[in-house]
Amino acid sequence: EVDLSAIEHNARWVASQLGERTRLMAVVKAGGYGHGAAAAAKAALRGGADSLGVLTAAEAAELREAGVNAPIHLLAPVVPEQAALAVRLKTIPTVDHVSQARALSARAPAKGLGVHLDLDFGLGRWGLAPKDVDAFLRGFSRLPRLRLEGLSTHIDYVPGKNSVEAEEKLSAFSRILQRLKRTCPGLLGHAANSSVLLDFPHWRLDMVRVGNLLYGVNAAASKTAPLRKPWKFYARIIAIRDVGRGRSIGYASEYVAPRRMKVATLAAGYSDGVTMEPAERLIGFGSGFQYWGILRGARTPFVGRCGISHVLVDVTDVPSAKVGDAVTLPVRRTAAGAHLPRIYR
């Protein structure tokens, strides 16, 4: 179940924290972090987002097909084979190599195409090395159908881990940005994701890229936020068994019942994202950790190994449990299979 009003509320709160000159990009990559890309995008736009962010042209195509007309940024560099699609969908592409720029230029309309250049400050996933910016721009200047509209980076910041290093990297990015703005006055700089937005408010720059905060997840170290959670994952009980003390159940007979138990089978397994660790700070993972579901407010611990399409839970402490009951499960949202129905409200 996805509460779209919660996503709209969260977007509106983020927008309220920004100055008049700072734009809000709502990141809806990976199927809107599992919530459904088109539905999440429309909710975020209602909440005040100025644009949307996805990784690829294929993700942008899904939004366009759903009737989303807002500006869409491609956050990953466009591979040359996808240049034509990126242009046709009227996206704002990211580049980090002149070969990508050439491919886009060959397909750009006569009026030109704005692109963003991404820099790598240590995350190592993609991005141009800062020392190579000037060489890149010399090659870029020979492509008259392209114009540089933005400069971006995504630093390797983890709240509570490397804040001093993060400050240094953001400052270094800003120095490059300010230098380029002298020759490109309208250049849009963006480096802040959800955590940077809250922990380093002085580096919000011209635009922020918000994903986690939209979906009710605050990983920042310095600030609480009045977010609403839009996500609940349920699986129904399809069978219940009484299990005697000492009986082995589950794969490899690894689990031996320590007492008489009532065990329920849920119609969800690891193919649906079950046992993929939820990105929730309130769920601790440590020695002796055990997954559990929730039924009528009570914990129902997992029993044995999770299967591809089922999991067993101990419902002994919920004597009223019956076939058909819906049990809440902790599932990482982006791991919840696209085949699962999303119920919007």
Side-chain angles (χ1 to χ4, degrees):
E1 290 186 3
V2 179
D3 182 355
L4 295 176
S5 67
I7 296 175
E8 181 178 344
H9 166 274
N10 296 340
R12 186 171 290 109
W13 180 81
V14 172
S16 74
Q17 304 302 298
L18 306 178
E20 292 183 1
R21 297 183 179 180
T22 302
R23 304 180 193 179
L24 171 58
M25 181 201 303
V27 181
V28 293
K29 64 182 180 180
Y33 286 42
H35 297 74
K42 292 174 182 179
L45 291 168
R46 289 195 298 271
D50 301 290
S51 63
L52 303 168
V54 298
L55 280 187
T56 65
E59 289 185 328
E62 179 184 345
L63 295 179
R64 293 295 190 226
E65 289 167 6
V68 175
N69 296 315
I72 299 176
H73 294 262
L74 304 185
L75 299 177
V78 174
V79 296
E81 293 81 4
Q82 291 290 302
L85 179 60
V87 172
R88 180 168 61 81
L89 294 171
K90 298 182 179 179
T91 66
I92 304 166
T94 292
V95 298
D96 66 358
H97 193 276
V98 72
S99 64
Q100 302 152 0
R102 290 193 192 103
L104 289 166
S105 179
R107 295 158 178 83
K111 65 179 181 180
L113 176 69
V115 302
H116 288 216
L117 172 63
D118 193 72
L119 305 183
D120 179 19
F121 276 88
L123 188 59
R125 59 181 189 179
W126 56 69
L128 182 73
K131 65 180 180 61
D132 295 330
V133 168
D134 290 334
F136 172 88
L137 291 178
R138 284 194 293 272
F140 187 84
S141 66
R142 293 192 285 271
L143 302 172
R145 289 201 172 191
L146 297 187
R147 58 184 178 273
L148 187 64
E149 291 187 344
L151 189 72
S152 65
T153 192
H154 189 109
I155 63 170
D156 52 346
Y157 172 59
V158 175
K161 297 285 187 180
N162 58 340
S163 58
V164 173
E165 178 189 43
E167 176 68 33
E168 293 172 348
K169 290 179 176 180
L170 290 165
S171 180
F173 172 78
S174 179
R175 287 195 294 272
I176 296 173
L177 174 65
Q178 298 310 317
R179 178 169 66 85
L180 296 185
K181 279 190 173 188
R182 289 197 286 270
T183 54
C184 223
L187 195 65
L188 198 68
H190 50 108
N193 63 359
S194 292
S195 297
V196 171
L197 183 153
L198 294 184
D199 287 347
F200 301 88
H202 51 293
W203 292 124
R204 293 174 182 175
L205 302 175
D206 304 302
M207 183 166 65
V208 298
R209 307 182 303 263
V210 174
N212 278 337
L213 290 174
L214 285 182
Y215 308 112
V217 178
N218 179 11
S222 65
K223 186 174 182 179
T224 58
L227 304 176
R228 289 168 51 186
K229 293 186 179 295
W231 174 268
K232 291 181 181 178
F233 185 97
Y234 297 97
R236 292 194 183 277
I237 295 175
I238 58 173
I240 295 179
R241 297 286 185 271
D242 291 318
V243 177
R245 182 176 181 272
R247 179 182 167 188
S248 61
I249 55 176
Y251 285 114
S253 299
E254 288 180 339
Y255 185 87
V256 178
R259 66 187 192 287
R260 288 186 60 83
M261 300 171 63
K262 181 186 287 188
V263 175
T265 305
L266 305 182
Y270 60 77
S271 65
D272 306 303
V274 178
T275 72
M276 295 291 288
E277 293 184 0
E280 294 285 352
R281 293 171 63 86
L282 298 181
I283 297 178
F285 298 97
S287 177
F289 170 77
Q290 185 177 28
Y291 287 101
W292 65 83
I294 300 291
L295 177 59
R296 309 208 215 298
R299 289 188 179 185
T300 60
F302 285 20
V303 173
R305 296 189 186 187
C306 179
I308 189 171
S309 56
H310 83 280
V311 67
L312 303 177
V313 294
D314 178 4
V315 294
T316 307
D317 293 335
V318 191
S320 61
K322 63 183 185 301
V323 170
D325 281 347
V327 177
T328 306
L329 292 177
V331 172
R332 192 179 184 95
R333 304 168 199 204
T334 52
H339 64 284
L340 297 170
R342 269 67 172 170
I343 309 301
Y344 294 104
R345 58 184 178 87

PDB file of all heavy atoms in Angstrom, residues 175-207:
ATOM      1  N   ARG A 175      33.997  25.611  -5.776  1.00  0.00           N
ATOM      2  CA  ARG A 175      35.021  26.462  -6.401  1.00  0.00           C
ATOM      3  C   ARG A 175      35.021  26.293  -7.918  1.00  0.00           C
ATOM      4  O   ARG A 175      35.121  27.276  -8.666  1.00  0.00           O
ATOM      5  CB  ARG A 175      36.399  26.141  -5.814  1.00  0.00           C
ATOM      6  CG  ARG A 175      36.595  26.662  -4.396  1.00  0.00           C
ATOM      7  CD  ARG A 175      38.061  26.642  -4.001  1.00  0.00           C
ATOM      8  NE  ARG A 175      38.591  25.281  -3.921  1.00  0.00           N
ATOM      9  CZ  ARG A 175      38.547  24.523  -2.831  1.00  0.00           C
ATOM     10  NH1 ARG A 175      37.961  24.986  -1.717  1.00  0.00           N
ATOM     11  NH2 ARG A 175      39.082  23.315  -2.829  1.00  0.00           N
ATOM     12  N   ILE A 176      34.895  25.053  -8.375  1.00  0.00           N
ATOM     13  CA  ILE A 176      34.830  24.812  -9.824  1.00  0.00           C
ATOM     14  C   ILE A 176      33.561  25.430 -10.397  1.00  0.00           C
ATOM     15  O   ILE A 176      33.572  26.066 -11.460  1.00  0.00           O
ATOM     16  CB  ILE A 176      34.886  23.302 -10.121  1.00  0.00           C
ATOM     17  CG1 ILE A 176      36.223  22.717  -9.670  1.00  0.00           C
ATOM     18  CG2 ILE A 176      34.659  23.032 -11.608  1.00  0.00           C
ATOM     19  CD1 ILE A 176      36.314  21.206  -9.777  1.00  0.00           C
ATOM     20  N   LEU A 177      32.443  25.234  -9.690  1.00  0.00           N
ATOM     21  CA  LEU A 177      31.164  25.782 -10.141  1.00  0.00           C
ATOM     22  C   LEU A 177      31.235  27.299 -10.292  1.00  0.00           C
ATOM     23  O   LEU A 177      30.809  27.860 -11.316  1.00  0.00           O
ATOM     24  CB  LEU A 177      30.062  25.390  -9.150  1.00  0.00           C
ATOM     25  CG  LEU A 177      28.681  26.002  -9.383  1.00  0.00           C
ATOM     26  CD1 LEU A 177      28.084  25.503 -10.689  1.00  0.00           C
ATOM     27  CD2 LEU A 177      27.753  25.681  -8.203  1.00  0.00           C
ATOM     28  N   GLN A 178      31.759  27.970  -9.283  1.00  0.00           N
ATOM     29  CA  GLN A 178      31.806  29.431  -9.335  1.00  0.00           C
ATOM     30  C   GLN A 178      32.718  29.911 -10.449  1.00  0.00           C
ATOM     31  O   GLN A 178      32.444  30.922 -11.105  1.00  0.00           O
ATOM     32  CB  GLN A 178      32.266  29.989  -7.982  1.00  0.00           C
ATOM     33  CG  GLN A 178      31.326  29.662  -6.825  1.00  0.00           C
ATOM     34  CD  GLN A 178      29.873  29.977  -7.108  1.00  0.00           C
ATOM     35  OE1 GLN A 178      29.558  31.031  -7.678  1.00  0.00           O
ATOM     36  NE2 GLN A 178      28.968  29.082  -6.721  1.00  0.00           N
ATOM     37  N   ARG A 179      33.821  29.186 -10.688  1.00  0.00           N
ATOM     38  CA  ARG A 179      34.720  29.564 -11.781  1.00  0.00           C
ATOM     39  C   ARG A 179      34.016  29.443 -13.130  1.00  0.00           C
ATOM     40  O   ARG A 179      34.106  30.328 -13.985  1.00  0.00           O
ATOM     41  CB  ARG A 179      35.972  28.688 -11.749  1.00  0.00           C
ATOM     42  CG  ARG A 179      36.944  28.983 -12.896  1.00  0.00           C
ATOM     43  CD  ARG A 179      38.272  28.288 -12.677  1.00  0.00           C
ATOM     44  NE  ARG A 179      38.187  26.838 -12.719  1.00  0.00           N
ATOM     45  CZ  ARG A 179      38.243  26.120 -13.842  1.00  0.00           C
ATOM     46  NH1 ARG A 179      38.337  26.733 -15.021  1.00  0.00           N
ATOM     47  NH2 ARG A 179      38.189  24.805 -13.790  1.00  0.00           N
ATOM     48  N   LEU A 180      33.279  28.346 -13.327  1.00  0.00           N
ATOM     49  CA  LEU A 180      32.595  28.145 -14.603  1.00  0.00           C
ATOM     50  C   LEU A 180      31.422  29.112 -14.788  1.00  0.00           C
ATOM     51  O   LEU A 180      31.070  29.472 -15.914  1.00  0.00           O
ATOM     52  CB  LEU A 180      32.114  26.700 -14.716  1.00  0.00           C
ATOM     53  CG  LEU A 180      33.196  25.620 -14.748  1.00  0.00           C
ATOM     54  CD1 LEU A 180      32.580  24.254 -14.994  1.00  0.00           C
ATOM     55  CD2 LEU A 180      34.235  25.932 -15.816  1.00  0.00           C
ATOM     56  N   LYS A 181      30.827  29.533 -13.686  1.00  0.00           N
ATOM     57  CA  LYS A 181      29.708  30.470 -13.793  1.00  0.00           C
ATOM     58  C   LYS A 181      30.144  31.820 -14.359  1.00  0.00           C
ATOM     59  O   LYS A 181      29.314  32.562 -14.895  1.00  0.00           O
ATOM     60  CB  LYS A 181      29.039  30.661 -12.426  1.00  0.00           C
ATOM     61  CG  LYS A 181      28.059  29.562 -12.050  1.00  0.00           C
ATOM     62  CD  LYS A 181      27.254  29.931 -10.816  1.00  0.00           C
ATOM     63  CE  LYS A 181      26.165  28.907 -10.547  1.00  0.00           C
ATOM     64  NZ  LYS A 181      25.247  29.310  -9.468  1.00  0.00           N
ATOM     65  N   ARG A 182      31.424  32.121 -14.247  1.00  0.00           N
ATOM     66  CA  ARG A 182      31.899  33.399 -14.787  1.00  0.00           C
ATOM     67  C   ARG A 182      31.802  33.437 -16.310  1.00  0.00           C
ATOM     68  O   ARG A 182      31.612  34.499 -16.906  1.00  0.00           O
ATOM     69  CB  ARG A 182      33.333  33.658 -14.322  1.00  0.00           C
ATOM     70  CG  ARG A 182      33.429  33.992 -12.841  1.00  0.00           C
ATOM     71  CD  ARG A 182      34.771  34.631 -12.507  1.00  0.00           C
ATOM     72  NE  ARG A 182      35.859  33.666 -12.510  1.00  0.00           N
ATOM     73  CZ  ARG A 182      36.240  32.966 -11.439  1.00  0.00           C
ATOM     74  NH1 ARG A 182      35.607  33.120 -10.273  1.00  0.00           N
ATOM     75  NH2 ARG A 182      37.243  32.110 -11.520  1.00  0.00           N
ATOM     76  N   THR A 183      31.917  32.283 -16.937  1.00  0.00           N
ATOM     77  CA  THR A 183      31.772  32.219 -18.394  1.00  0.00           C
ATOM     78  C   THR A 183      30.432  31.627 -18.811  1.00  0.00           C
ATOM     79  O   THR A 183      30.061  31.681 -19.978  1.00  0.00           O
ATOM     80  CB  THR A 183      32.907  31.374 -19.009  1.00  0.00           C
ATOM     81  OG1 THR A 183      32.936  30.093 -18.378  1.00  0.00           O
ATOM     82  CG2 THR A 183      34.249  32.065 -18.804  1.00  0.00           C
ATOM     83  N   CYS A 184      29.710  31.054 -17.853  1.00  0.00           N
ATOM     84  CA  CYS A 184      28.404  30.429 -18.112  1.00  0.00           C
ATOM     85  C   CYS A 184      27.453  30.904 -17.017  1.00  0.00           C
ATOM     86  O   CYS A 184      27.136  30.165 -16.091  1.00  0.00           O
ATOM     87  CB  CYS A 184      28.572  28.914 -18.060  1.00  0.00           C
ATOM     88  SG  CYS A 184      27.729  28.041 -19.341  1.00  0.00           S
ATOM     89  N   PRO A 185      26.977  32.140 -17.055  1.00  0.00           N
ATOM     90  CA  PRO A 185      26.255  32.745 -15.924  1.00  0.00           C
ATOM     91  C   PRO A 185      25.027  31.975 -15.456  1.00  0.00           C
ATOM     92  O   PRO A 185      24.694  32.011 -14.275  1.00  0.00           O
ATOM     93  CB  PRO A 185      25.861  34.125 -16.472  1.00  0.00           C
ATOM     94  CG  PRO A 185      26.825  34.392 -17.567  1.00  0.00           C
ATOM     95  CD  PRO A 185      27.136  33.064 -18.178  1.00  0.00           C
ATOM     96  N   GLY A 186      24.328  31.278 -16.339  1.00  0.00           N
ATOM     97  CA  GLY A 186      23.114  30.576 -15.922  1.00  0.00           C
ATOM     98  C   GLY A 186      23.347  29.153 -15.459  1.00  0.00           C
ATOM     99  O   GLY A 186      22.388  28.391 -15.267  1.00  0.00           O
ATOM    100  N   LEU A 187      24.599  28.769 -15.255  1.00  0.00           N
ATOM    101  CA  LEU A 187      24.928  27.385 -14.916  1.00  0.00           C
ATOM    102  C   LEU A 187      24.268  26.975 -13.601  1.00  0.00           C
ATOM    103  O   LEU A 187      24.323  27.698 -12.607  1.00  0.00           O
ATOM    104  CB  LEU A 187      26.446  27.238 -14.803  1.00  0.00           C
ATOM    105  CG  LEU A 187      26.997  25.821 -14.811  1.00  0.00           C
ATOM    106  CD1 LEU A 187      26.732  25.128 -16.145  1.00  0.00           C
ATOM    107  CD2 LEU A 187      28.497  25.845 -14.511  1.00  0.00           C
ATOM    108  N   LEU A 188      23.640  25.806 -13.621  1.00  0.00           N
ATOM    109  CA  LEU A 188      22.898  25.299 -12.474  1.00  0.00           C
ATOM    110  C   LEU A 188      23.769  24.278 -11.733  1.00  0.00           C
ATOM    111  O   LEU A 188      24.102  23.230 -12.274  1.00  0.00           O
ATOM    112  CB  LEU A 188      21.610  24.625 -12.972  1.00  0.00           C
ATOM    113  CG  LEU A 188      20.479  24.375 -11.996  1.00  0.00           C
ATOM    114  CD1 LEU A 188      19.860  25.693 -11.551  1.00  0.00           C
ATOM    115  CD2 LEU A 188      19.409  23.502 -12.661  1.00  0.00           C
ATOM    116  N   GLY A 189      24.141  24.577 -10.491  1.00  0.00           N
ATOM    117  CA  GLY A 189      24.971  23.662  -9.713  1.00  0.00           C
ATOM    118  C   GLY A 189      24.148  22.861  -8.730  1.00  0.00           C
ATOM    119  O   GLY A 189      23.295  23.415  -8.026  1.00  0.00           O
ATOM    120  N   HIS A 190      24.399  21.541  -8.678  1.00  0.00           N
ATOM    121  CA  HIS A 190      23.674  20.707  -7.708  1.00  0.00           C
ATOM    122  C   HIS A 190      24.543  19.563  -7.210  1.00  0.00           C
ATOM    123  O   HIS A 190      25.140  18.836  -7.994  1.00  0.00           O
ATOM    124  CB  HIS A 190      22.347  20.195  -8.274  1.00  0.00           C
ATOM    125  CG  HIS A 190      22.402  19.550  -9.627  1.00  0.00           C
ATOM    126  ND1 HIS A 190      22.246  18.188  -9.807  1.00  0.00           N
ATOM    127  CD2 HIS A 190      22.576  20.070 -10.870  1.00  0.00           C
ATOM    128  CE1 HIS A 190      22.318  17.913 -11.100  1.00  0.00           C
ATOM    129  NE2 HIS A 190      22.523  19.032 -11.765  1.00  0.00           N
ATOM    130  N   ALA A 191      24.607  19.451  -5.870  1.00  0.00           N
ATOM    131  CA  ALA A 191      25.415  18.427  -5.224  1.00  0.00           C
ATOM    132  C   ALA A 191      24.703  17.792  -4.039  1.00  0.00           C
ATOM    133  O   ALA A 191      25.196  16.807  -3.493  1.00  0.00           O
ATOM    134  CB  ALA A 191      26.741  19.024  -4.752  1.00  0.00           C
ATOM    135  N   ALA A 192      23.569  18.348  -3.630  1.00  0.00           N
ATOM    136  CA  ALA A 192      22.912  17.909  -2.392  1.00  0.00           C
ATOM    137  C   ALA A 192      21.852  16.848  -2.645  1.00  0.00           C
ATOM    138  O   ALA A 192      20.881  17.094  -3.354  1.00  0.00           O
ATOM    139  CB  ALA A 192      22.288  19.105  -1.675  1.00  0.00           C
ATOM    140  N   ASN A 193      22.055  15.669  -2.041  1.00  0.00           N
ATOM    141  CA  ASN A 193      20.981  14.687  -1.955  1.00  0.00           C
ATOM    142  C   ASN A 193      20.265  14.914  -0.622  1.00  0.00           C
ATOM    143  O   ASN A 193      20.479  15.938   0.043  1.00  0.00           O
ATOM    144  CB  ASN A 193      21.531  13.270  -2.095  1.00  0.00           C
ATOM    145  CG  ASN A 193      22.496  12.900  -0.979  1.00  0.00           C
ATOM    146  OD1 ASN A 193      22.790  13.709  -0.083  1.00  0.00           O
ATOM    147  ND2 ASN A 193      23.002  11.685  -1.008  1.00  0.00           N
ATOM    148  N   SER A 194      19.440  13.960  -0.199  1.00  0.00           N
ATOM    149  CA  SER A 194      18.652  14.166   1.021  1.00  0.00           C
ATOM    150  C   SER A 194      19.530  14.430   2.241  1.00  0.00           C
ATOM    151  O   SER A 194      19.258  15.329   3.041  1.00  0.00           O
ATOM    152  CB  SER A 194      17.761  12.946   1.277  1.00  0.00           C
ATOM    153  OG  SER A 194      16.753  12.834   0.296  1.00  0.00           O
ATOM    154  N   SER A 195      20.606  13.647   2.406  1.00  0.00           N
ATOM    155  CA  SER A 195      21.459  13.784   3.587  1.00  0.00           C
ATOM    156  C   SER A 195      22.251  15.077   3.565  1.00  0.00           C
ATOM    157  O   SER A 195      22.373  15.774   4.582  1.00  0.00           O
ATOM    158  CB  SER A 195      22.408  12.587   3.693  1.00  0.00           C
ATOM    159  OG  SER A 195      21.683  11.388   3.864  1.00  0.00           O
ATOM    160  N   VAL A 196      22.800  15.419   2.409  1.00  0.00           N
ATOM    161  CA  VAL A 196      23.566  16.660   2.293  1.00  0.00           C
ATOM    162  C   VAL A 196      22.652  17.858   2.504  1.00  0.00           C
ATOM    163  O   VAL A 196      23.025  18.840   3.160  1.00  0.00           O
ATOM    164  CB  VAL A 196      24.276  16.735   0.926  1.00  0.00           C
ATOM    165  CG1 VAL A 196      24.884  18.113   0.706  1.00  0.00           C
ATOM    166  CG2 VAL A 196      25.356  15.654   0.841  1.00  0.00           C
ATOM    167  N   LEU A 197      21.438  17.793   1.991  1.00  0.00           N
ATOM    168  CA  LEU A 197      20.483  18.890   2.143  1.00  0.00           C
ATOM    169  C   LEU A 197      20.290  19.248   3.614  1.00  0.00           C
ATOM    170  O   LEU A 197      20.258  20.430   3.980  1.00  0.00           O
ATOM    171  CB  LEU A 197      19.145  18.487   1.517  1.00  0.00           C
ATOM    172  CG  LEU A 197      18.006  19.508   1.501  1.00  0.00           C
ATOM    173  CD1 LEU A 197      17.081  19.214   0.334  1.00  0.00           C
ATOM    174  CD2 LEU A 197      17.185  19.468   2.789  1.00  0.00           C
ATOM    175  N   LEU A 198      20.173  18.236   4.485  1.00  0.00           N
ATOM    176  CA  LEU A 198      19.919  18.498   5.900  1.00  0.00           C
ATOM    177  C   LEU A 198      21.195  18.741   6.691  1.00  0.00           C
ATOM    178  O   LEU A 198      21.230  19.607   7.564  1.00  0.00           O
ATOM    179  CB  LEU A 198      19.145  17.323   6.515  1.00  0.00           C
ATOM    180  CG  LEU A 198      17.727  17.109   5.986  1.00  0.00           C
ATOM    181  CD1 LEU A 198      17.048  15.980   6.741  1.00  0.00           C
ATOM    182  CD2 LEU A 198      16.890  18.378   6.090  1.00  0.00           C
ATOM    183  N   ASP A 199      22.250  17.979   6.406  1.00  0.00           N
ATOM    184  CA  ASP A 199      23.469  18.094   7.207  1.00  0.00           C
ATOM    185  C   ASP A 199      24.386  19.229   6.758  1.00  0.00           C
ATOM    186  O   ASP A 199      25.217  19.708   7.538  1.00  0.00           O
ATOM    187  CB  ASP A 199      24.251  16.777   7.173  1.00  0.00           C
ATOM    188  CG  ASP A 199      23.581  15.690   8.009  1.00  0.00           C
ATOM    189  OD1 ASP A 199      22.676  16.028   8.792  1.00  0.00           O
ATOM    190  OD2 ASP A 199      23.966  14.517   7.877  1.00  0.00           O
ATOM    191  N   PHE A 200      24.259  19.669   5.496  1.00  0.00           N
ATOM    192  CA  PHE A 200      25.083  20.751   4.957  1.00  0.00           C
ATOM    193  C   PHE A 200      24.185  21.769   4.243  1.00  0.00           C
ATOM    194  O   PHE A 200      24.269  21.939   3.024  1.00  0.00           O
ATOM    195  CB  PHE A 200      26.132  20.200   3.983  1.00  0.00           C
ATOM    196  CG  PHE A 200      27.075  19.197   4.584  1.00  0.00           C
ATOM    197  CD1 PHE A 200      26.741  17.845   4.598  1.00  0.00           C
ATOM    198  CD2 PHE A 200      28.274  19.598   5.142  1.00  0.00           C
ATOM    199  CE1 PHE A 200      27.604  16.908   5.162  1.00  0.00           C
ATOM    200  CE2 PHE A 200      29.139  18.671   5.701  1.00  0.00           C
ATOM    201  CZ  PHE A 200      28.809  17.324   5.720  1.00  0.00           C
ATOM    202  N   PRO A 201      23.310  22.435   4.975  1.00  0.00           N
ATOM    203  CA  PRO A 201      22.336  23.321   4.326  1.00  0.00           C
ATOM    204  C   PRO A 201      22.980  24.453   3.520  1.00  0.00           C
ATOM    205  O   PRO A 201      22.344  24.991   2.609  1.00  0.00           O
ATOM    206  CB  PRO A 201      21.520  23.871   5.500  1.00  0.00           C
ATOM    207  CG  PRO A 201      22.386  23.666   6.703  1.00  0.00           C
ATOM    208  CD  PRO A 201      23.163  22.425   6.440  1.00  0.00           C
ATOM    209  N   HIS A 202      24.229  24.796   3.827  1.00  0.00           N
ATOM    210  CA  HIS A 202      24.908  25.867   3.092  1.00  0.00           C
ATOM    211  C   HIS A 202      25.390  25.401   1.729  1.00  0.00           C
ATOM    212  O   HIS A 202      25.900  26.209   0.949  1.00  0.00           O
ATOM    213  CB  HIS A 202      26.088  26.397   3.913  1.00  0.00           C
ATOM    214  CG  HIS A 202      27.012  25.334   4.423  1.00  0.00           C
ATOM    215  ND1 HIS A 202      26.622  24.403   5.371  1.00  0.00           N
ATOM    216  CD2 HIS A 202      28.308  25.040   4.123  1.00  0.00           C
ATOM    217  CE1 HIS A 202      27.635  23.597   5.643  1.00  0.00           C
ATOM    218  NE2 HIS A 202      28.663  23.956   4.888  1.00  0.00           N
ATOM    219  N   TRP A 203      25.244  24.115   1.405  1.00  0.00           N
ATOM    220  CA  TRP A 203      25.642  23.607   0.092  1.00  0.00           C
ATOM    221  C   TRP A 203      24.444  23.137  -0.728  1.00  0.00           C
ATOM    222  O   TRP A 203      24.550  22.245  -1.546  1.00  0.00           O
ATOM    223  CB  TRP A 203      26.652  22.459   0.229  1.00  0.00           C
ATOM    224  CG  TRP A 203      27.992  22.892   0.769  1.00  0.00           C
ATOM    225  CD1 TRP A 203      28.634  22.408   1.874  1.00  0.00           C
ATOM    226  CD2 TRP A 203      28.852  23.893   0.224  1.00  0.00           C
ATOM    227  NE1 TRP A 203      29.838  23.043   2.060  1.00  0.00           N
ATOM    228  CE2 TRP A 203      29.995  23.966   1.052  1.00  0.00           C
ATOM    229  CE3 TRP A 203      28.761  24.745  -0.882  1.00  0.00           C
ATOM    230  CZ2 TRP A 203      31.047  24.853   0.811  1.00  0.00           C
ATOM    231  CZ3 TRP A 203      29.802  25.633  -1.110  1.00  0.00           C
ATOM    232  CH2 TRP A 203      30.923  25.680  -0.288  1.00  0.00           C
ATOM    233  N   ARG A 204      23.296  23.753  -0.514  1.00  0.00           N
ATOM    234  CA  ARG A 204      22.122  23.412  -1.331  1.00  0.00           C
ATOM    235  C   ARG A 204      22.246  23.979  -2.744  1.00  0.00           C
ATOM    236  O   ARG A 204      21.583  23.500  -3.668  1.00  0.00           O
ATOM    237  CB  ARG A 204      20.859  23.925  -0.652  1.00  0.00           C
ATOM    238  CG  ARG A 204      20.574  23.178   0.655  1.00  0.00           C
ATOM    239  CD  ARG A 204      19.415  23.768   1.421  1.00  0.00           C
ATOM    240  NE  ARG A 204      19.203  23.049   2.689  1.00  0.00           N
ATOM    241  CZ  ARG A 204      18.322  23.394   3.616  1.00  0.00           C
ATOM    242  NH1 ARG A 204      17.566  24.472   3.442  1.00  0.00           N
ATOM    243  NH2 ARG A 204      18.206  22.684   4.727  1.00  0.00           N
ATOM    244  N   LEU A 205      23.050  25.015  -2.905  1.00  0.00           N
ATOM    245  CA  LEU A 205      23.364  25.585  -4.219  1.00  0.00           C
ATOM    246  C   LEU A 205      22.099  25.936  -5.009  1.00  0.00           C
ATOM    247  O   LEU A 205      21.156  26.464  -4.441  1.00  0.00           O
ATOM    248  CB  LEU A 205      24.274  24.616  -4.990  1.00  0.00           C
ATOM    249  CG  LEU A 205      25.603  24.264  -4.278  1.00  0.00           C
ATOM    250  CD1 LEU A 205      26.374  23.213  -5.049  1.00  0.00           C
ATOM    251  CD2 LEU A 205      26.439  25.514  -4.052  1.00  0.00           C
ATOM    252  N   ASP A 206      22.083  25.620  -6.310  1.00  0.00           N
ATOM    253  CA  ASP A 206      20.973  26.052  -7.168  1.00  0.00           C
ATOM    254  C   ASP A 206      19.833  25.035  -7.233  1.00  0.00           C
ATOM    255  O   ASP A 206      18.716  25.373  -7.631  1.00  0.00           O
ATOM    256  CB  ASP A 206      21.482  26.306  -8.591  1.00  0.00           C
ATOM    257  CG  ASP A 206      22.619  27.313  -8.617  1.00  0.00           C
ATOM    258  OD1 ASP A 206      22.410  28.445  -8.147  1.00  0.00           O
ATOM    259  OD2 ASP A 206      23.723  26.955  -9.088  1.00  0.00           O
ATOM    260  N   MET A 207      20.135  23.795  -6.882  1.00  0.00           N
ATOM    261  CA  MET A 207      19.117  22.747  -6.943  1.00  0.00           C
ATOM    262  C   MET A 207      19.521  21.615  -5.998  1.00  0.00           C
ATOM    263  O   MET A 207      20.705  21.359  -5.786  1.00  0.00           O
ATOM    264  CB  MET A 207      18.970  22.208  -8.376  1.00  0.00           C
ATOM    265  CG  MET A 207      17.880  21.150  -8.536  1.00  0.00           C
ATOM    266  SD  MET A 207      17.466  20.848 -10.288  1.00  0.00           S
ATOM    267  CE  MET A 207      19.005  20.158 -10.904  1.00  0.00           C
TER     268      MET A 207
END
